[in-house]
Structure formats: structure tokens, C-alpha cells
């Protein structure tokens, strides 16, 4: 029969390539090996692993997750940081990944080695073939060459990727490749996370959704995601001082940056049942006194972006205020809603995927997976549907979009 160890770099490249291997080698056992020490940051590694696992599980293929060994990769490519895509750095990277794959293939008693990297039009096919054959020969293996791109392979890969709703990465994974792709950019959102939680539209929020989806699909429950665009807001830094003392606070989402240091004084306040609103003498900035900040959810869409600070203590009239605030708006933000089960079910249970900037609120992964496990029969029988809303902590955006489109027959028939 024989066994093939397939090196896998991501879900997108594997979704069609693994089908080709199974079709062409029906009498062989396939074992996947996800090993990509070049990927940075680690959240990106985990996200690509989750999607790889989803693809392999759908095909009944065992997949082994390799260690995240960025330090080894950095040492190996040292001196080649400025190499262009498909240059010498990529060859070194292929060699490292296939060498490790060949070692595992030998340990598992496999006879053959191959890689889905040959699927990617961004990789040099002949270079991969040459490295694969050399490494396989070193370990007494046969390297299997597949030109997955033939017969409209890339188009078929893209179609399957959309059908599986796979995360489609926008860079190869290598930090140096990202730098070369974004030559005029000074800020790299792919590599940066200022938040302590799962911000709406962040990689952490997407990973959370994908982990839940993988769990649900392994229970035999159908899922689908509906992505949506929104203006993403993130907080870089904030300082609030009252009469010279730094105060514990939070910043309301969609507060614009303050230029330099704002110095003002409290002129008046207005009380409502939920909060006390302090207004300043010169600035439109407001300070809201909330009984418990972590329990506060501002669930309205903000059209006024004047800065708002949240505190838990009273402030004296005339108090001197010193404020610094830096925030960022991204008009190309994306989040998604995840539907688990049949939308036509009798009942619906709702969760959400993000937290606030500080990590408060939201759900733990185990909260949701435990609920799915306990209620899997009801979900499969269409008695219960579970929906995970995205972008909840910035005005319940996912929930609003969901309800606006709920009557759309396209969504109900998915």
C-alpha cells in the first residue's frame, strides 16, 4: 500500500492539492504534516493550522501539527533578509521545511514525500521539485511531484477555498516577504496588536471563530460564516490624570485621538440613570462615571467620535484634567458572524466573538464549545441554532447586520 507524508503550509493550498493526491494515489495512505516555522506572528501560525486541520478532517486525513520554531528559521535565513520573493531565502525556507518533513516521514515509516507548496503560483515549481528530490533521496524516500496548477488547478483551488470559507492569508507568512510586499508602508497591522483582548476585526477574533467552527464541524454540525466590512477602531495609548493623579479608566470605542496633551478642567456634569457625564470647559471630550466599567456595554452605533473616557469614581467640579489619547481608524476592517446549525431552527442561542480592548466581557472558548457539545443533538435536529456575532463591543455591528439580512433568502438557504 505505502504511505505518503504530505507537507502542508496552509488550508488554501491544501484544499485542492490533497484531493489530487488522493485521486491519483488511491491505494496510498496520506498523512499531513503542518510545519511552517517561517510564519509570523504565532497567531497567524495558529490560524493557518486551524484551517489546515479543517481541510484534513473533511477528507479523513490525519494531520500532525509541527512545532512553531521561528528561532530556527531566523537563524537559517540570516543574511538573506533582503532577498526577493522566490529568491535564495525562499529556497532555504523550502529546504528547512522539507528536511523536517522527511525526518518525520522516516519516523512514521512513510515511503513517499511531497508538499502542497507546489500548488502555489507564488512558488517556483522546479526549485521545489529539485529540493524535494534531494531531501527525499537523503532519507531513502521517493519524492512525488504533482503539478497541481495544471488543468485550471488554481481556479479549482480558489473555488473550493470559497466553498469551505477558508481564511485566505494576504502574505506568504514570512516577515521579510511582508516587508517587501508593503515597501511604502510604515505600519504592519498583520504583525501588531495593541489590544489585551480580542478586538473586533483582529486576527485573534478570527482565530476564535475558526476554533469554534472546527469544533462544531468535528461534531458533525454544518456551519457557515458571513463576513462583513466595518470601520475598525483600535486604541494605541491613553492617559487620564485628575488633579495630577493618574486614574484607572477605559476609552469608549471610536474616540478620536487627542493632539498632544489636552489640559482642561471639569465645568459641569449631567446625571442619567446609567451614568454621570462630566463636561469640560474648553473641550468636547467627556468623562463618564460608571459604577462598574467592566460590566458597561455601549451598544449603540457612534456617529459622534468625540473622545469619551470611562471612570469609576466621582470627580469634583473644577478638577484639573490632563489627557493623552492615540487611536486608529481602519475603514477596511472585516469581521464575521458564524452560524452553527440551521437558521430555521425553533430556537436560537447567541454568543459573540470579540471582547473589549482590555479583554473584559466576551466568552471563553470553553464556554461555547461546552454548550455545543451538550446541545449537539438539538442542533443537528434543527431544534436549536447557535450564532456567534462578530464586532459586538463596538456597537453590536455583527448582530445589526445579521438581523438586517435575516429575511434575505440567500442567507436562510445557506
Amino acid at each position: 500500500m505505502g504511505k505518503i507524508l504530505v507537507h502542508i503550509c496552509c488550508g488554501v493550498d491544501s484544499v485542492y492539492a490533497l484531493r489530487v493526491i488522493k485521486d491519483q494515489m488511491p491505494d496510498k495512505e496520506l498523512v499531513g504534516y503542518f510545519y511552517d516555522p517561517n510564519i509570523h506572528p504565532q497567531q497567524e501560525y495558529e490560524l493557518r493550522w486551524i484551517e489546515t486541520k479543517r481541510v484534513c478532517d473533511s477528507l479523513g486525513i490525519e494531520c500532525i501539527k509541527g512545532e512553531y520554531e521561528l528561532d530556527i528559521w531566523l537563524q537559517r535565513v540570516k543574511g538573506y533578509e533582503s532577498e526577493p520573493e522566490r529568491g535564495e531565502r525562499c529556497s532555504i525556507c523550502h529546504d528547512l521545511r522539507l528536511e523536517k518533513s522527511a525526518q518525520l516521514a522516516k519516523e512514521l515509516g512513510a515511503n513517499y514525500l511531497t508538499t502542497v507548496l507546489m500548488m502555489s503560483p507564488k512558488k517556483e515549481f522546479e526549485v521545489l521539485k529539485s529540493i524535494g528530490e534531494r531531501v527525499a533521496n537523503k532519507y531513502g524516500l521517493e519524492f512525488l511531484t504533482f503539478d497541481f496548477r495544471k488543468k485550471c488547478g488554481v481556479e479549482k483551488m480558489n473555488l473550493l477555498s470559497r466553498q469551505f470559507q477558508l481564511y485566505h492569508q494576504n502574505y506568504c507568512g514570512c516577515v521579510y516577504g511582508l516587508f517587501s510586499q508593503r515597501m511604502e508602508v510604515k505600519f504592519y497591522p498583520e504583525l501588531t496588536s495593541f489590544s489585551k483582548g480580542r478586538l473586533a476585526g483582529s486576527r485573534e477574533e478570527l482565530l476564535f471563530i475558526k476554533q469554534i467552527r472546527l469544533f462544531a464541524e468535528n461534531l458533525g454540525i454544518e456551519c457557515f460564516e458571513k463576513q462583513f466590512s466595518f470601520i475598525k477602531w483600535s486604541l494605541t495609548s491613553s492617559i487620564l490624570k485628575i488633579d495630577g493623579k493618574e486614574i484607572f479608566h477605559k476609552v469608549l470605542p471610536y474616540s478620536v485621538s487627542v493632539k498632544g496633551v489636552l489640559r482642561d478642567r471639569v465645568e459641569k456634569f449631567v446625571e442619567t440613570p446609567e451614568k454621570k457625564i462630566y463636561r469640560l470647559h474648553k473641550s468636547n471630550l467627556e468623562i463618564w462615571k460608571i459604577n462598574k466599567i467592566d460590566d458597561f456595554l455601549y451598544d449603540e452605533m457612534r456617529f459622534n467620535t468625540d473622545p469619551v473616557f470611562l471612570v469609576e469614581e466621582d470627580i469634583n467640579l473644577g478638577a484639573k484634567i490632563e489627557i493623552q489619547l492615540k487611536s486608529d481608524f481602519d475603514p477596511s476592517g472585516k469581521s464575521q458572524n458564524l452560524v452553527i446549525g440551521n437558521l430555521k431552527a425553533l430556537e436560537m442561542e447567541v454568543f459573540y466573538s470579540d471582547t473589549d480592548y482590555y479583554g473584559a466581557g466576551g466568552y471563553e472558548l470553553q464556554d461555547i464549545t461546552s454548550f455545543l457539545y451538550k446541545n449537539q443533538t438539538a442542533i443537528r435536529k434543527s431544534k436549536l441554532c447557535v450564532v456567534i456575532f462578530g464586532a459586538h463591543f463596538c456597537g453590536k455591528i455583527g448582530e445589526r447586520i445579521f438581523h438586517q439580512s435575516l429575511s434575505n433568502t440567500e442567507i436562510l438557504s445557506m
Side-chain angles (χ1 to χ4, degrees), residues 156-223:
K156 293 173 182 176
M157 173 194 74
N158 288 331
L159 177 62
L160 282 167
S161 176
R162 288 194 296 271
Q163 290 174 351
F164 270 76
Q165 298 182 311
L166 294 173
Y167 163 64
H168 204 297
Q169 54 271 9
N170 61 3
Y171 65 110
C172 73
C174 160
V175 65
Y176 303 123
L178 177 63
F179 291 162
S180 64
Q181 289 173 35
R182 314 276 203 279
M183 291 183 67
E184 304 301 321
V185 175
K186 296 181 180 179
F187 174 69
Y188 301 89
E190 295 89 350
L191 306 179
T192 309
S193 178
F194 293 109
S195 169
K196 298 171 183 146
R198 293 190 307 270
L199 275 183
S202 67
R203 184 187 285 103
E204 289 81 6
E205 186 198 31
L206 179 58
L207 177 58
F208 189 75
I209 283 285
K210 294 295 187 179
Q211 288 170 323
I212 294 168
R213 180 169 187 163
L214 175 63
F215 184 86
E217 288 178 340
N218 283 339
L219 291 177
I221 303 171
E222 290 191 5
C223 306

Side-chain angles (χ1 to χ4, degrees), residues 8-223:
I8 301 177
C9 57
C10 65
V12 173
D13 282 352
S14 63
V15 69
Y16 175 67
L18 290 176
R19 284 169 167 75
V20 172
I21 300 171
K22 282 173 69 75
D23 288 345
Q24 294 189 16
M25 315 288 282
D27 61 332
K28 301 292 189 291
E29 176 188 356
L30 271 63
V31 178
Y33 179 46
F34 178 81
Y35 179 66
D36 292 287
N38 60 308
I39 293 176
H40 186 77
Q42 190 166 2
Q43 295 98 319
E44 181 75 14
Y45 188 84
E46 295 298 329
L47 191 49
R48 298 192 193 194
W49 156 247
I50 288 290
E51 296 295 76
T52 296
K53 186 77 165 58
R54 281 185 58 217
V55 169
C56 288
D57 285 353
S58 71
L59 295 170
I61 297 172
E62 177 191 2
C63 190
I64 299 168
K65 182 184 181 185
E67 294 293 323
Y68 181 59
E69 299 176 325
L70 179 65
D71 54 338
I72 294 175
W73 181 84
L74 288 171
Q75 291 171 13
R76 193 69 68 89
V77 300
K78 188 174 182 180
Y80 297 89
E81 295 86 349
S82 300
E83 280 285 306
E85 190 88 12
R86 301 186 181 188
E88 187 63 26
R89 185 184 65 247
C90 289
S91 297
I92 294 169
C93 183
H94 300 333
D95 187 77
L96 171 61
R97 290 189 277 180
L98 291 178
E99 175 94 18
K100 195 70 178 277
S101 300
Q103 291 170 0
L104 179 62
K106 198 68 177 176
E107 291 175 19
L108 298 177
N111 316 88
Y112 308 93
L113 173 68
T114 192
T115 177
V116 303
L117 285 168
M118 291 182 287
M119 178 79 252
S120 174
K122 296 181 179 180
K123 303 292 184 289
E124 288 288 353
F125 182 84
E126 291 299 327
V127 171
L128 283 166
K129 180 175 180 290
S130 175
I131 293 173
E133 289 174 347
R134 173 174 54 77
V135 171
N137 183 64
K138 177 180 175 181
Y139 290 91
L141 304 167
E142 180 181 344
F143 185 75
L144 301 177
T145 302
F146 297 93
D147 192 348
F148 301 115
R149 305 170 208 174
K150 280 186 175 180
K151 299 180 180 179
C152 301
V154 175
E155 289 80 0
K156 293 173 182 176
M157 173 194 74
N158 288 331
L159 177 62
L160 282 167
S161 176
R162 288 194 296 271
Q163 290 174 351
F164 270 76
Q165 298 182 311
L166 294 173
Y167 163 64
H168 204 297
Q169 54 271 9
N170 61 3
Y171 65 110
C172 73
C174 160
V175 65
Y176 303 123
L178 177 63
F179 291 162
S180 64
Q181 289 173 35
R182 314 276 203 279
M183 291 183 67
E184 304 301 321
V185 175
K186 296 181 180 179
F187 174 69
Y188 301 89
E190 295 89 350
L191 306 179
T192 309
S193 178
F194 293 109
S195 169
K196 298 171 183 146
R198 293 190 307 270
L199 275 183
S202 67
R203 184 187 285 103
E204 289 81 6
E205 186 198 31
L206 179 58
L207 177 58
F208 189 75
I209 283 285
K210 294 295 187 179
Q211 288 170 323
I212 294 168
R213 180 169 187 163
L214 175 63
F215 184 86
E217 288 178 340
N218 283 339
L219 291 177
I221 303 171
E222 290 191 5
C223 306

